[in-house]
Amino acid sequence: GIMPNNDGNVLRLIIPQLTQERRKELCKTVSGIGEEGKVAIRNVRRDSMKALTKLEKDGNSSKDTIADYQDNVEKMTAKHVKQVEDMVGAKEKEVMAV
């Protein structure tokens, strides 16, 4: 753990190096947070698709317009999921670096 040292003027916290076991544990945590992010993105996609379908059923927009919007939603979803995966990969690489 972290042991504080006090010399009267300065409080020093000595942080030990991460062990391989702790690094793997942190990688699992990073992966879990990344997965939560991807699920959140997919939930937004689902809600958007439902809203677009409702617009189409109500007759407020044409099928072509709705299809274009749905395609845009899919592209944005894929783009942001890829960004999350890239960030998770970079963070895991950073954590595993000695």
Side-chain angles (χ1 to χ4, degrees):
I2 299 174
M3 294 294 299
N5 291 332
N6 185 356
D7 66 2
N9 294 326
V10 179
L11 181 65
R12 296 177 196 264
L13 297 175
I14 299 172
I15 301 173
Q17 290 289 326
L18 292 174
T19 63
Q20 191 68 16
E21 183 179 309
R22 180 69 178 140
R23 289 176 198 275
K24 288 180 183 177
E25 190 178 306
L26 287 173
C27 282
K28 286 181 185 177
T29 303
V30 167
S31 295
I33 292 170
E35 193 59 39
E36 288 174 14
K38 291 191 287 187
V39 167
I41 291 168
R42 290 182 188 122
N43 287 340
V44 169
R45 176 188 64 194
R46 184 193 66 226
D47 295 344
S48 299
M49 292 300 207
K50 281 183 181 178
L52 289 170
T53 304
K54 185 173 185 252
L55 274 176
E56 186 178 3
K57 285 182 181 178
D58 292 345
N60 293 337
S61 293
S62 69
K63 282 190 171 205
D64 291 338
T65 305
I66 296 297
D68 288 342
Y69 288 145
Q70 287 176 337
D71 187 45
N72 286 340
V73 168
E74 288 294 336
K75 286 178 183 176
M76 284 191 287
T77 301
K79 175 184 155 193
H80 287 92
V81 165
K82 176 84 170 95
Q83 283 180 337
V84 169
E85 289 171 350
D86 292 345
M87 286 189 275
V88 166
K91 185 52 76 173
E92 285 177 346
K93 194 179 288 185
E94 179 184 332
V95 167
M96 292 306 287
V98 176

